[in-house]
Amino acid sequence: MFGPRLCRWLQPGARVVPRRSAHKLASLQKVRALPTNKVQSLLYPFSDLEAYLDRSVDRTQFQLFHPSLEDMIKAEKLFCSSPSHKIDFQTSAVRTDHITALKQPEVCFIGRSNVGKSSLIKALFSLTPEIEVRVSKTPGHTKKMNFFRVGTAFTVVDMPGYGYKAPKDFVDMVEPYLYSRKNLVRTFLLVDGSVGLQSADMIALEMCEEMTRPYVMVVTKIDKCGHGALLTNLLNVQDVVKTQTTSCFPQPFLISSLQFGGIFLLRCFIAHVTGSIRLTDTSQS
């Protein structure tokens, strides 16, 4: 059985928080010890909603990326720091020309202020808790582009939030990166599942479409509302993706950063799109 190798080997200058233990649901080893229905819920959150869907609703688009447990285990290893695979905070920047050119693939997370970007990234890196991802309940907390290097495999970028209390130079900071960053392989556009798509989200979606580069919708805070409200908001997101986009991956990803729902699936998708693992069992991606 796979066990996460939590390690404190970090590059000098990284933001570190010593002697902090990983969350009890951070690793698949511990999750697999839970009841079967709980495991299914954490690995594939959409399964919780299927019973509430009308039979006429096509479920295919919600399950296009459906990797095996073995694939998720392979992906999880990439999110565990070790002497030969160091995960560290690399840099912050407010302009693209301030960023060191990197060869490894990058994925970035963008969304409305207080949508849960930093919380999601913190959950992704929960197996290396020495990495400090600063989370705040105050909207607009993230003011710069923050880069987290995952060994030589890929880099994760936490972007400032748009909308309420966004940095004044948000457009000048973010658009050049999204348009010109050659090693950016996927943009993850976050939407608050408890409130659904907002006007600011639609503007961000239009920007992603103008880039004509692949991006993915991520529905956060799925634990913050009832099944009815979540389903309504999710189906609306799915309809927008289907009817108004050409570059968006058809499947929205459901995430609860607090309860770790969907985190394992998202780790696997990131590992896959960055070319870090070869999947053995999934649909299209």
Side-chain angles (χ1 to χ4, degrees):
M1 182 179 291
F2 173 73
R5 295 177 298 170
L6 301 179
C7 187
R8 296 177 183 147
W9 300 78
L10 297 170
Q11 293 282 5
R15 294 177 181 175
V16 299
V17 179
R19 299 180 182 177
R20 179 180 290 177
S21 59
H23 190 279
K24 62 181 180 180
L25 295 179
S27 76
L28 281 165
Q29 181 189 35
K30 293 183 178 179
V31 166
R32 291 169 70 181
L34 299 173
T36 303
N37 62 336
K38 181 64 173 177
V39 174
Q40 181 75 4
S41 175
L42 289 172
L43 300 190
Y44 309 105
F46 178 72
S47 62
D48 277 353
L49 299 177
E50 282 196 85
Y52 300 91
L53 277 177
D54 189 272
R55 292 182 180 180
S56 63
V57 177
D58 181 12
R59 290 153 169 77
T60 306
Q61 299 301 307
F62 298 100
Q63 299 171 317
L64 292 173
F65 186 76
H66 197 81
S68 65
L69 178 61
E70 289 70 26
D71 286 330
M72 291 191 190
I73 289 173
K74 287 191 295 183
E76 184 176 271
K77 292 179 181 179
L78 289 167
F79 288 86
C80 299
S81 190
S82 73
S84 60
H85 178 73
K86 297 179 181 180
I87 300 175
D88 58 9
F89 168 78
Q90 184 181 30
T91 189
S92 292
V94 295
R95 292 289 186 274
T96 303
D97 54 7
H98 296 171
I99 309 169
T100 304
L102 300 172
K103 293 182 179 179
Q104 63 260 38
E106 287 180 0
V107 297
C108 76
F109 290 82
I110 187 170
R112 193 163 48 86
S113 296
N114 210 31
V115 75
K117 285 185 291 82
S118 297
S119 295
L120 187 155
I121 294 173
K122 183 176 182 179
L124 289 174
F125 287 133
S126 56
L127 292 171
T128 306
E130 300 89 342
I131 299 296
E132 181 185 9
V133 181
R134 296 176 180 174
V135 177
S136 174
K137 293 182 179 180
T138 304
H141 177 76
T142 303
K143 299 296 185 183
K144 299 179 180 181
M145 298 180 285
N146 296 316
F147 291 72
F148 299 87
R149 183 169 48 191
V150 182
T152 58
F154 54 87
T155 299
V156 173
V157 186
D158 183 9
M159 308 293 280
Y162 53 77
Y164 181 63
K165 288 195 174 180
K168 293 181 179 179
D169 56 350
F170 174 84
V171 173
D172 294 335
M173 186 189 316
V174 172
E175 280 198 356
Y177 171 85
L178 295 177
Y179 277 92
S180 65
R181 193 68 168 172
K182 293 181 179 179
N183 56 332
L184 177 63
V185 297
R186 206 63 99 243
T187 296
F188 292 90
L189 176 57
L190 277 56
V191 174
D192 187 335
S194 65
V195 299
L197 282 165
Q198 305 292 296
S199 57
D201 299 321
M202 295 303 298
I203 295 172
L205 185 142
E206 291 173 6
M207 179 181 65
C208 288
E209 282 294 306
E210 290 175 1
M211 291 190 304
T212 65
R213 301 175 73 170
Y215 66 102
V216 184
M217 300 290 286
V218 177
V219 179
T220 64
K221 302 186 180 182
I222 63 172
D223 55 299
K224 299 298 184 181
C225 61
H227 287 124
L230 177 59
L231 259 181
T232 298
N233 294 333
L234 175 61
L235 291 175
N236 183 39
V237 169
Q238 180 61 27
D239 182 65
V240 168
V241 169
K242 184 177 180 179
T243 60
Q244 300 184 37
T245 72
T246 58
S247 300
C248 187
F249 185 57
Q251 174 184 335
F253 283 77
L254 298 172
I255 293 291
S256 167
S257 300
L258 182 64
Q259 300 177 359
F260 282 79
I263 292 297
F264 309 98
L265 187 66
L266 188 58
R267 282 176 183 159
C268 194
F269 188 77
I270 292 171
H272 171 54
V273 297
T274 57
S276 303
I277 64 171
R278 183 181 295 274
L279 297 175
T280 56
D281 181 21
T282 190
S283 300
Q284 74 177 60
S285 57

